[in-house]
Amino acid sequence: MEPRNNLPPLRLKGLGVMGLLRLYSALLLLLPVLPLSLYWLAAHLRVLPISLELLLGICITLVVVSSALLGHAIARTILDPLRLLVQGAQKLQDGEYGHVIDPAATSDAPTEFKQLVRAFNRMSATLLEHIETIQTTSRTDQLTGMYNRRHLMAEGYRILGVSLRAGRPCSCLMIDIDHFKNVNDTHGHPVGDKYLIHIAGRIASAIRETDMAARFGGEEFVVIAPNASLAEAANLAERIRESVETNPLRLGQLVINNTVSLGVAEFDPEPQFGSNILEDMIEKADKALYRAKQCGRNRVETWPFPNGPPRCP
């Protein structure tokens, strides 16, 4: 804990840093002025109340002590707010974006430091906004607002790891919009974008709070469902399919019916595809999705398939 100094900071709010330094410089000018004045008095007065040497010593001592005290007070007036600014800069460097210096802590500081504190606080708030925007942009899909593929692979692996350590199941749903190209070809890409946003909303409304949905690319979406067995994930997939089918996109007089095909797979600790268990689970869900599309679309299929040649029920 730093020892407190008993000398209060100067309360010369209107002077500013330059004014304080000018005041201190003016005081230092007294050092040569006082001895000259004493010599002048000695030359014009025959008798002095005290000896010239003693008077000179007293004057010089007063000037030196006064300038030292004033210099120390001025230094505190400058250094205290400067220390706050340095500490604030260190917090930003350490990642505490948005750190704010309390303006009350610099109420007695020179004007320039008050301006610096206000500018620092604005800069810190702006930096926090920009960092949050960059973080949000780096992990979300700009069109749908869902997580993007990069975040899916990073966060999905973490979720899967938690399930593994807890000995709980974890499943993956791969979702593809049926005949999405027809929407773009018939109604144009602006309507196609609204259609993607609509489907993303239906998926988000059907999943659980613990699930993570992401846009995998194009018209494909992925849902990571922790604590869900293959059967539970298939029920979740069926709920998504029904939500999409029963809620067409309505744009004024235009009504677009929509369906999705879904593939479901549960993770396997010994992957067959990809370099890790997450990629393996996604690949298996994708194969199940391909089977759902082969079997007529607007349906849910699960991995693994029954033994024997693939047949659509």
Side-chain angles (χ1 to χ4, degrees), residues 2-9 69 72-73 75-76 80 83:
E2 294 183 2
R4 293 184 58 86
N5 197 306
N6 294 325
L7 290 176
L69 292 175
H72 182 71
R76 279 201 59 202
D80 284 350
R83 187 179 299 111

Side-chain angles (χ1 to χ4, degrees), residues 16-17 20-21 73-83 109-110 113:
V17 175
L20 290 173
L21 294 177
I74 291 175
R76 279 201 59 202
T77 303
I78 295 174
L79 291 178
D80 284 350
L82 185 61
R83 187 179 299 111
F113 283 104

Side-chain angles (χ1 to χ4, degrees), residues 237-312:
E238 182 61 28
R239 187 162 69 243
I240 294 173
R241 189 198 66 77
E242 291 178 356
S243 176
V244 171
E245 185 180 30
T246 57
N247 291 276
L249 173 63
R250 301 180 185 276
L251 298 173
Q253 300 299 318
L254 178 63
V255 178
I256 304 177
N257 294 312
N258 35 250
T259 62
V260 292
S261 300
L262 301 98
V264 183
E266 187 177 353
F267 87 88
D268 190 329
E270 296 182 2
Q272 294 176 253
F273 310 101
S275 60
N276 55 61
I277 55 177
L278 177 62
E279 292 180 1
D280 176 71
M281 184 172 62
I282 292 175
E283 180 65 22
K284 289 173 179 175
D286 189 55
K287 290 181 181 299
L289 168 64
Y290 184 72
R291 178 182 173 89
K293 297 180 82 68
Q294 280 186 318
C295 291
R297 295 182 170 86
N298 190 27
R299 60 187 295 119
V300 176
E301 289 289 338
T302 60
W303 175 279
F305 304 144
N307 293 330
R311 293 190 298 270
C312 297

Side-chain angles (χ1 to χ4, degrees), residues 95-115:
E96 296 183 34
Y97 307 117
H99 173 73
V100 175
I101 298 174
D102 185 5
T106 58
S107 59
D108 296 318
T111 304
E112 293 90 340
F113 283 104
K114 293 179 181 179
Q115 294 173 345

Side-chain angles (χ1 to χ4, degrees), residues 76-309:
R76 279 201 59 202
T77 303
I78 295 174
L79 291 178
D80 284 350
L82 185 61
R83 187 179 299 111
L84 289 175
L85 288 168
V86 171
Q87 291 173 351
Q90 184 63 48
K91 289 182 179 296
L92 291 184
Q93 184 178 346
D94 294 339
E96 296 183 34
Y97 307 117
H99 173 73
V100 175
I101 298 174
D102 185 5
T106 58
S107 59
D108 296 318
T111 304
E112 293 90 340
F113 283 104
K114 293 179 181 179
Q115 294 173 345
L116 283 173
V117 167
R118 288 194 295 268
F120 176 89
N121 289 342
R122 288 196 300 270
M123 177 193 69
S124 182
T126 302
L127 179 62
L128 178 61
E129 292 177 3
H130 289 174
I131 292 294
E132 289 176 344
T133 299
I134 291 171
Q135 290 176 341
T136 300
T137 303
S138 67
R139 65 173 180 257
T140 58
D141 174 59
Q142 185 176 5
L143 177 63
T144 63
M146 278 186 163
Y147 291 122
N148 58 23
R149 183 169 181 169
R150 174 187 296 177
H151 185 73
L152 167 73
M153 301 309 292
E155 186 66 11
Y157 199 79
R158 186 194 67 80
I159 292 173
L160 190 52
V162 171
S163 298
L164 276 171
R165 289 190 294 272
R168 301 290 298 170
C170 184
S171 298
C172 172
L173 285 66
M174 180 72 77
I175 308 164
D176 185 84
I177 302 175
D178 296 329
H179 305 296
F180 176 69
K181 184 175 183 300
N182 292 343
V183 176
N184 279 333
D185 292 344
T186 304
H187 305 287
H189 288 279
V191 173
D193 288 346
K194 291 182 174 63
Y195 189 70
L196 280 170
I197 295 170
H198 173 72
I199 297 297
R202 300 319 310 164
I203 294 172
S205 67
I207 63 177
R208 307 166 303 173
E209 290 185 2
T210 55
D211 300 332
M212 184 182 70
R215 186 181 179 190
F216 199 66
E219 64 269 27
E220 288 188 329
F221 301 87
V222 169
V223 174
I224 302 295
N227 300 320
S229 64
L230 184 63
E232 292 169 333
N235 290 334
L236 174 61
E238 182 61 28
R239 187 162 69 243
I240 294 173
R241 189 198 66 77
E242 291 178 356
S243 176
V244 171
E245 185 180 30
T246 57
N247 291 276
L249 173 63
R250 301 180 185 276
L251 298 173
Q253 300 299 318
L254 178 63
V255 178
I256 304 177
N257 294 312
N258 35 250
T259 62
V260 292
S261 300
L262 301 98
V264 183
E266 187 177 353
F267 87 88
D268 190 329
E270 296 182 2
Q272 294 176 253
F273 310 101
S275 60
N276 55 61
I277 55 177
L278 177 62
E279 292 180 1
D280 176 71
M281 184 172 62
I282 292 175
E283 180 65 22
K284 289 173 179 175
D286 189 55
K287 290 181 181 299
L289 168 64
Y290 184 72
R291 178 182 173 89
K293 297 180 82 68
Q294 280 186 318
C295 291
R297 295 182 170 86
N298 190 27
R299 60 187 295 119
V300 176
E301 289 289 338
T302 60
W303 175 279
F305 304 144
N307 293 330

